Structure formats: C-alpha cells, structure tokens
Amino acid sequence: MRRAINLTRRVRIGLAVAAALAALSGVAVSSEPDALPSVRDDLTEKDLARVRAITEPTADFSKTEDFEPMPGGAATSRKRVNHDAFSHPSANLSFEEQGTFKLGNGLFRKLWVSSPSSTQASDGLGPLFNARACQSCHLKDGRGHPPEGNADATSMFLRLARAAETAEEKTMLARKAALNFPDPVYGGQLQDLAVPGLAAEGRMKIAYEETPVMLDDGSVVSLRKPSYSVSDLSLGPLRPATTLSPRVTPPMIGLGLVEQIHPADILAKSDPEDSDGDGISGKASIVRDAASGEPTLGRFGWKASTPSIRQQSAEAFAGDIGISTPDVPHHWGDCSDAQKDCLALPNGVQERLGETEAPNPVLDLVTFYSQNLAVPARRDVGKPEVLAGKKVFYQFGCASCHTPKFVTRRDAPNKAHAFQLIWPYSDFLLHDMGEGLADGQSVGDAGGSEWRTPPLWGIGLTEQVSGHTFFLHDGRARNLTEAILWHGGEAQAARDGFAALPKADRDALAKFLESL
C-alpha cells in the first residue's frame, strides 16, 4: 500500500492515479481502444433510423424544431428562471430520487474542516486546497470566473504539468497509464490555500494586454490577452518545464445526460485527419477508466480527460479540497513527496465511517447530484431574431463542432437519462483552437492548443446565475462577441465569417446564443 501511495504523489491526481493504481493491483492494461463501439448497440434498427432522422441537422430556419424548447428532454427544468436556474433536479426524477438529490446537494455544499476536529464527519480538509466545499468552486452550479478586482480566485485555478522526460514516462503516456506529469514539488495543481500552520503553495497572478480588433464594418472590439505567473511560492521555484494552464469551473447542468450519449455517436464525428476536407478535424480523447483500467472515451473537463462523473467527482475531492474517496484514496490531496510538512499533518479518516475521508455513501450522493442538475428550458426560441441567429450559426459552420442534438442511450442505468433527445451543442471532441487560446499543456490526447468543445446549453443564463459574462477556459472573454473572436485554428473560418457580418446579423447570433 505504501508503494501505491507514493505512486499517486508522482502522478497527477486524476486518471493517471487511478490507472497506475489499477495496474499495481493487477488490472490488465491494454494500449489500443479496440473495445470502443463503432455502432450503437442499444437500439433496434427501427429506433436507430428514428434517431438518425431526428438528429439530422436542420435546414429550415423559419420555425422552431420539434422538441427544441426542451434541451434536456424530459429532464428539462421548467421552473422560473432566476439565479437558481442551474440548481434544480432533473424534472423526471422519481420522488425517492428527488430525496437522494437533496442529500447530495447537502454534501455538495458541505464545508470541510481541518483535522483533527470535533466535527469528525467533516474533517480532513487539505492540508493544501483550493476550496472548502464543492459549491465554493461551482457557485450556484454555474460557471466560474477569473479574479476581477477584489474577487477571489476560488472558481479558477492553475493546472501544473510537464511532458514526459524519461523512457518510463513516455511508455506510461503511450499506454495511457498517465495523461501528463506533475511538477515534482507542487504537484498537479497550484493550491492557494492551506490549513492553519501550513503555508499555501503560492498565488496565481494574471496580467492582461488589451488588443483592438477591427471588424469588417469598422467596429472595434478590444480583446484582452492574459499571461499567467505564480507569486509567493512557498518551496522555491517551479520546475522550468512545468506549464501553467488556467481553468475556470464549468457549469454543472446536464452532466448525467452527456454521460449517457452513446460513444459511437461521438466517435462517428471524429475526423482527426480531416478526411472530408471541411477544415474540421476533431478527435476523440481516449483515456483509462479508473475502475476497470480499460480504454474509454473521455468526455468531461476542458480537455476531455475524464470519462465519468464519478471519476470527475473523486478527482475534484482530492485535487480541489484534499479529501480522499475510495476511488482516489489519497488523504493528503495533491501533496507531493517533497512537501514533508504537508504529509506530516493528520488526515480525517474515521475508521467507524470508512477507510477514506469521504467514504462511498458520500461519493455516491455527490455523483448522483452532479448527474441530475437539470438543463433549463429554452427562452424566446421561436422569435424571428433568434431563428435568424440560428441560421447564421449553421451558415458559418458553428454546428460542425457545436453539434446541436443527440439521443441518449436506451439502456442508461437511470431511466431519467434514457432515450432522451438532448441539445447540448457540443461534439465532445478535441479541436485545435489555434495559438491564441493555446496553454501549451498536453493532457493525454489533447495537445497544447486543443480543447474539448464546451456545451453551449445554458450559456444565455450565465449572467443571471453566475453574475458575470466571462467565457472560455480562463474567462478572458468578457462577452460572447469576444469569445467568438478568440476562436482560431479549426474555427478560424467561422470566426472570420462572424467578423465579416453586418451588426444586425452579429446581434441575431448573440440572441440565438442567449436563448440557449
């Protein structure tokens, strides 16, 4: 067991940890994703034909499509739109499941405290951490933001990673037993908070450079280009090869539905060599399932590095809060072997409750909650300006990556997620977004300029829920127009088409996005 714990300190908390532990425990690890299905195996031929027909991209922008106002299918929330719009349960949960959702919500909001503590079921925080609760990062279950003015950086952090350097590390990457490698001292994530008596690792610093961009009609938009550094490092400088990747927390809505999109439907859109010549070469992120060690499709996270909500939750518990779970049983969070003072502090394991600080019941409930945050119903979906903006969205190829529709698996474990027509507006593939958005950090199959297409559902409610309009992976864009103008790489043609539009058409596109 000691060997396994040491290994988790060497490899970034996440898939690399789980895969390495699985390998040590005797789980077979293959190197090719042969097990991934190329066709849907959950449908009859009749149902498959229905799915193909209903998910076909529309060419009629004169009216609303069937079921378009309900982006989450039967799980869509029709509750009043306000600052709690992202915090409602799937509308089709049973009465018993609604109770489970509420219990999960309580644990999602739970504030953890440092060990030892009289509140034994809540101790184990850190010792190094970024937040004391899941809700601290995912405020109102919505989108995070960069620190602006006196605002804190709780909902944004820096990933620390470097490329493989040794033959052993290169083999681990090739076999997908690791996604990348952490800084040898500071680990895989900069922790800007610490328990009493321990110094935090450092503080993220951001400097912005404003650059004016002229559109074809003479309008000028100022884009801010960020640069990142770290100050007040407690244990000396970062390794020169360590890269910094800023990440804001993404919205939580619709995750359980995304989890139940059949992998064949996502893989069918992958075209890494751009064989059809359309300039779009999205590729799948193939990662290791933490439980089985088998290759599977990554679909969560900014670089599609995680295959399931449970694994994402376990990694966040460990990396963000410093809480161990059965899936990532590291009681000292992201502390590395070099951080002796951190490792010398007590952990919060209570034997009467389990072998980890957050035992299975806690992880189960938080996972269920995260799987069942409902997507709000669309607004103004049939208005002429919204339909005109939708036409622009398709005309300039935005739908090539932001795929509008999927039908979830018929054999989903939870009936609430089964066989639902959903409208996430994402293909969940990796795309090269150009040097302007590059962070220089490779994560598994994702290169330094590649990002997963983020779902657009709910984007129009960002200000109402989260109190801001900061977009993209690091919140550099202050509105939707800036977000579009930052697109490059595979999206360069769509970006240039947008820049050439008259203002009325740009406004219509914005109205369409705001209706999502």
Side-chain angles (χ1 to χ4, degrees), residues 30-182:
S30 57
S31 59
E32 296 297 329
D34 297 330
L36 296 180
S38 58
V39 295
R40 290 191 64 159
D41 54 5
D42 63 318
L43 300 177
T44 64
E45 286 297 323
K46 181 179 179 181
D47 277 344
L48 189 57
R50 289 173 58 200
V51 167
R52 287 171 177 163
I54 202 165
T55 56
E56 186 71 19
T58 186
D60 182 359
F61 303 102
S62 65
K63 63 182 187 299
T64 303
E65 295 178 69
D66 291 341
F67 313 111
E68 191 175 4
M70 302 289 285
T76 302
S77 170
R78 301 190 191 187
K79 293 186 180 292
R80 186 177 64 177
V81 172
N82 56 26
H83 64 288
D84 291 320
F86 287 0
S87 299
H88 301 301
S90 300
N92 55 349
L93 291 182
S94 68
F95 180 78
E96 181 180 1
E97 287 173 326
Q98 290 179 40
T100 303
F101 178 89
K102 291 176 182 177
L103 289 172
N105 185 17
L107 291 169
F108 197 80
R109 294 169 177 268
K110 174 185 179 130
L111 292 172
W112 295 84
V113 297
S114 57
S115 303
S117 168
S118 58
T119 56
Q120 292 183 354
S122 298
D123 66 352
L125 176 68
L128 294 164
F129 59 98
N130 292 105
R132 291 183 58 198
C134 305
Q135 185 75 207
S136 299
C137 293
H138 299 278
L139 296 169
K140 291 294 181 182
D141 306 296
R143 189 183 306 273
H145 60 82
E148 301 290 323
N150 293 322
D152 63 72
T154 303
S155 61
M156 180 177 180
F157 56 81
L158 289 174
R159 292 281 193 206
L160 310 177
R162 61 175 176 81
E165 297 174 351
T166 66
E168 179 187 6
E169 289 178 346
K170 291 175 181 178
T171 298
M172 290 180 72
L173 289 183
R175 298 174 69 233
K176 298 189 180 298
L179 298 175
N180 53 30
F181 298 91

Side-chain angles (χ1 to χ4, degrees), residues 208-227:
Y208 291 107
E209 177 186 352
E210 294 282 348
T211 302
V213 175
M214 182 174 288
L215 309 185
D216 286 23
D217 65 359
S219 302
V220 177
V221 177
S222 183
L223 300 184
R224 59 177 190 174
K225 181 180 180 180
S227 60

Side-chain angles (χ1 to χ4, degrees), residues 187-366:
Q189 189 166 308
L190 182 73
Q191 311 283 350
D192 57 0
L193 297 171
V195 301
L198 184 69
E201 291 182 326
R203 294 177 57 231
M204 172 176 60
K205 295 185 67 176
I206 312 174
Y208 291 107
E209 177 186 352
E210 294 282 348
T211 302
V213 175
M214 182 174 288
L215 309 185
D216 286 23
D217 65 359
S219 302
V220 177
V221 177
S222 183
L223 300 184
R224 59 177 190 174
K225 181 180 180 180
S227 60
Y228 297 92
S229 60
V230 181
S231 66
D232 305 322
L233 285 164
S234 60
L235 293 172
L238 293 164
R239 186 170 181 151
T242 297
T243 57
L244 307 178
S245 180
R247 312 283 177 87
V248 298
T249 51
M252 298 282 291
I253 56 173
L255 297 182
L257 295 167
V258 172
E259 194 169 38
Q260 296 308 318
I261 297 173
H262 198 286
D265 285 349
I266 296 176
L267 292 170
K269 300 178 182 298
S270 177
D271 184 18
E273 304 301 325
D274 191 21
S275 57
D276 59 5
D278 66 353
I280 306 298
S281 53
K283 68 181 183 184
S285 170
I286 307 301
V287 297
R288 291 281 172 193
D289 180 82
S292 68
E294 292 300 314
T296 189
L297 181 67
R299 60 183 81 193
F300 299 107
W302 284 105
K303 298 218 174 191
S305 57
T306 312
S308 71
I309 299 167
R310 182 182 176 93
Q311 186 170 322
Q312 184 91 344
S313 299
E315 292 177 7
F317 263 123
D320 300 344
I321 312 177
I323 296 295
S324 60
T325 62
D327 292 37
V328 183
H330 193 186
H331 314 315
W332 292 272
D334 193 34
C335 291
S336 72
D337 285 338
Q339 293 171 312
K340 304 298 183 184
D341 290 345
C342 178
L343 299 175
L345 292 171
N347 63 62
V349 175
Q350 309 294 327
E351 291 186 7
R352 62 187 177 82
L353 300 176
E355 297 180 351
T356 55
E357 293 162 326
N360 262 324
V362 173
L363 183 57
D364 290 344
L365 287 167
V366 169

